Amino acid sequence: MRILLVEDDAEVARFVKKGLQEAGHTVEHAANGRDGLFLAASEGFDVLVLDRMLPGGVDGVRLVETLRGQGNRCPVLFLSALTAVDERVKGLKAGGDDYLTKPFAFAELLARVEALGRRPSAEVPTTRLKVADLELDLLSRTVTRAGRKIEVQPREFRLLEHLMRHAGQVVTRTMLLEKVWDYHFDPQTNVIDVHVSRLRHKLDKGFDRPLIHTVRNAGYMIRAQA
Amino acid sequence: MRILLVEDDAEVARFVKKGLQEAGHTVEHAANGRDGLFLAASEGFDVLVLDRMLPGGVDGVRLVETLRGQGNRCPVLFLSALTAVDERVKGLKAGGDDYLTKPFAFAELLARVEALGRRPSAEVPTTRLKVADLELDLLSRTVTRAGRKIEVQPREFRLLEHLMRHAGQVVTRTMLLEKVWDYHFDPQTNVIDVHVSRLRHKLDKGFDRPLIHTVRNAGYMIRAQA
DNA sequence: CCTCCACCAGCAGGATCCGCATGGGTGTTC
DNA sequence: GAACACCCATGCGGATCCTGCTGGTGGAGG
């Protein structure tokens, strides 16, 4: 399970991250709200674990409200030293799904995180993928960036879908050949390069931040940051 | 929101039920696990609020396990006097979604219940259409009848989708021209007939009961019966 | 500086797909 | 029963669209 932990206390962060990883999950960590929001918005996580209070302008509640405003429904667990009922209610009302107060037992955190991850899109097939301001709608077979529709060919669509399903991760050429081309051998050509190029042309043209990144000697990766 | 409350303590039950109702929800109450399980299994609730310990053979955890075993994914909030971490973990692991210990503030219960109800299948777009043994999967763009895959061309797919979205209703040629061909005039040809014919050929061939029916002087209709 | 890797523009083959026309069938009406 | 209207099926031609390859260029890394 891919989990994003936003926590400024380094000690707590280390502890939680380690524990979740030992339970077999992938954990990304952000130390402040701004970075957390950015990551949460640009990559697909199964669960968000947020400290209620964070340094900088963006605290936990603010972060969730922003996400929800963007249509992001990723389940959120708040972690907080604020134990007052009012605080908890505030967190949940803002769009949080659970609220755990410090100090907490790690076993309970784990159980709650897994409970959150268990429910959401388990069974509900994803119908739209999102990376930063790029959206791909599986139903209408439509691609939009910053609200502007982008025409894409079938193969390009499959390619993009595969990249977006692994946003933030490197996708190797071999994987692409297997999954997008159904090739189980090396065609000895640069088919992939060509299609990636075409996709780039359509997606990143006219935008400052490119989304498709080359990982030399490895493959490609799609994500927001450079 | 439809909520099922399973709680043996009459006093707590009354208190919770009243509060939830005042918040605008519909509440059913069961005083023991057996009745609760029966209700939960037979009616559709948005959220279940379960006492962790219940009289009779069926306690809260048992109830959830049974439901989950039946494929029921209705969100569950446990209410319990057992505060030990182990107990909470047990409840969550059994398939619970949240765990609140008594005594609790009603405001928090309400917030948590609403958080649970907020998340589930709210707004799940239809991803597959079904008419008799004919299925159309919008995501994979796949058509199957009686389990056997049927290859369909893009335009045929759009045509079939439109017919199935209006299953049991007559679809006029004009509607089809508008919605499937984006024509806003009469092309004076039999384009539609041709495509319907092709679709019939693929769908109804080899099956006793045809699904696509002609409505003379009106249009077409898809449905199971003759 | 050299080498390798990746990028991109252009090209041409191919395949798919689509719409039309025709001829035949069936139901309806007089 | 004949004429008509509506609908069905098949084959064909065309056009678009898509795709993959080639080959030269640019840039990163060593």
Side-chain angles (χ1 to χ4, degrees):
Chain A
M1 204 184 277
R2 281 175 57 84
I3 300 167
L4 174 63
L5 170 67
V6 187
E7 165 68 68
D8 61 314
D9 183 323
E11 178 58 26
V12 175
R14 205 188 51 78
F15 168 65
V16 171
K17 180 170 182 179
K18 182 148 168 286
L20 289 174
Q21 282 175 337
E22 280 171 2
H25 304 296
T26 307
V27 181
E28 296 278 333
H29 173 232
N32 64 68
R34 190 170 303 277
D35 293 352
L37 178 56
F38 182 75
L39 279 172
S42 53
E43 299 183 29
F45 292 96
D46 298 308
V47 178
L48 268 48
V49 179
L50 304 185
D51 194 348
R52 171 82 173 67
M53 290 190 301
L54 289 166
V58 183
D59 76 337
V61 169
R62 181 80 177 284
L63 201 163
V64 171
E65 285 172 345
T66 308
L67 279 183
R68 298 297 186 238
Q70 295 172 356
N72 187 320
R73 301 210 163 266
C74 181
V76 167
L77 181 144
F78 277 117
L79 217 51
S80 171
L82 300 176
T83 62
V85 168
D86 280 0
E87 287 301 328
R88 306 195 209 183
V89 170
K90 201 182 294 178
L92 295 168
K93 284 225 163 134
D97 295 278
D98 203 343
Y99 196 107
L100 194 56
T101 53
K102 303 180 189 175
F104 57 86
F106 179 75
E108 181 167 7
L109 171 64
L110 178 60
R112 286 187 180 269
V113 165
E114 293 187 336
L116 285 178
R118 194 192 309 144
R119 304 184 55 269
S121 52
E123 277 314 304
V124 176
T126 320
T127 168
R128 53 181 8 188
L129 305 172
K130 227 181 142 182
V131 171
D133 59 349
L134 176 68
E135 294 186 37
L136 182 148
D137 188 316
L138 280 311
L139 281 181
S140 61
R141 301 237 130 197
T142 291
V143 179
T144 57
R145 177 153 188 198
R148 274 189 31 221
K149 183 169 179 182
I150 296 175
E151 298 294 339
V152 188
Q153 296 171 349
R155 173 120 311 151
E156 289 167 8
F157 190 91
R158 290 181 64 182
L159 173 56
L160 181 57
E161 177 183 347
H162 196 261
L163 285 173
M164 291 181 76
R165 281 193 190 280
H166 300 83
Q169 307 165 28
V170 175
V171 178
T172 69
R173 285 153 192 276
T174 314
M175 284 166 61
L176 289 175
L177 285 176
E178 292 261 343
K179 302 297 183 185
V180 178
W181 272 265
D182 297 323
Y183 284 0
H184 297 273
F185 54 91
D186 186 343
Q188 307 280 8
T189 68
N190 64 346
V191 209
I192 294 182
D193 302 48
V194 172
H195 278 267
V196 170
S197 169
R198 292 212 250 259
L199 213 44
R200 271 202 178 116
H201 185 70
K202 295 182 180 180
L203 297 186
D204 288 342
K205 190 180 185 180
F207 291 91
D208 286 349
R209 296 278 166 204
L211 295 179
I212 302 180
H213 307 280
T214 304
V215 182
R216 237 182 131 81
N217 294 320
Y220 297 92
M221 174 168 57
I222 196 166
R223 68 166 166 183
Q225 78 209 75
Chain B
M1 205 183 277
R2 281 178 55 81
I3 300 167
L4 174 62
L5 171 66
V6 187
E7 165 67 69
D8 61 313
D9 183 325
E11 178 57 26
V12 174
R14 202 188 53 76
F15 169 66
V16 170
K17 180 170 180 177
K18 181 149 168 286
L20 289 174
Q21 283 175 337
E22 281 171 2
H25 303 295
T26 308
V27 181
E28 295 281 331
H29 173 231
N32 63 69
R34 190 169 305 276
D35 293 352
L37 178 54
F38 178 76
L39 279 172
S42 53
E43 297 182 32
F45 292 96
D46 297 308
V47 178
L48 268 47
V49 179
L50 304 185
D51 194 347
R52 170 80 173 69
M53 289 190 300
L54 290 164
V58 184
D59 75 337
V61 169
R62 181 79 177 283
L63 202 163
V64 172
E65 285 171 345
T66 309
L67 279 182
R68 297 296 187 237
Q70 295 172 358
N72 187 320
R73 300 208 164 265
C74 181
V76 167
L77 181 143
F78 278 116
L79 217 51
S80 172
L82 300 176
T83 62
V85 168
D86 281 359
E87 287 300 329
R88 306 194 209 181
V89 169
K90 202 182 293 178
L92 295 168
K93 284 224 164 135
D97 296 278
D98 203 342
Y99 196 107
L100 194 55
T101 54
K102 302 179 190 176
F104 55 86
F106 179 76
E108 180 168 8
L109 172 65
L110 178 60
R112 287 187 179 268
V113 164
E114 293 188 336
L116 286 178
R118 193 193 309 144
R119 302 177 56 268
S121 51
E123 275 311 310
V124 176
T126 319
T127 167
R128 53 181 8 186
L129 304 170
K130 227 183 141 180
V131 171
D133 59 348
L134 176 68
E135 294 186 36
L136 182 146
D137 188 316
L138 279 311
L139 281 181
S140 61
R141 302 238 130 195
T142 291
V143 179
T144 57
R145 178 155 187 196
R148 276 189 29 220
K149 182 169 180 182
I150 296 175
E151 297 294 340
V152 188
Q153 295 172 350
R155 175 126 302 160
E156 289 168 8
F157 190 92
R158 289 181 65 181
L159 173 57
L160 181 58
E161 177 182 346
H162 196 259
L163 285 172
M164 291 180 78
R165 282 193 189 280
H166 300 83
Q169 308 165 29
V170 177
V171 178
T172 69
R173 286 156 190 278
T174 314
M175 283 166 62
L176 290 176
L177 285 177
E178 291 261 344
K179 301 297 183 184
V180 178
W181 272 265
D182 298 323
Y183 285 0
H184 297 273
F185 55 91
D186 187 343
Q188 306 281 7
T189 67
N190 65 347
V191 210
I192 294 182
D193 303 48
V194 171
H195 278 267
V196 170
S197 170
R198 293 211 248 260
L199 212 45
R200 269 201 179 115
H201 185 69
K202 294 182 179 180
L203 297 186
D204 289 341
K205 189 179 185 181
F207 291 91
D208 288 349
R209 297 276 167 206
L211 295 179
I212 302 180
H213 307 281
T214 304
V215 182
R216 237 185 129 82
N217 295 321
Y220 298 91
M221 175 168 55
I222 196 167
R223 67 165 164 184
Q225 77 211 72

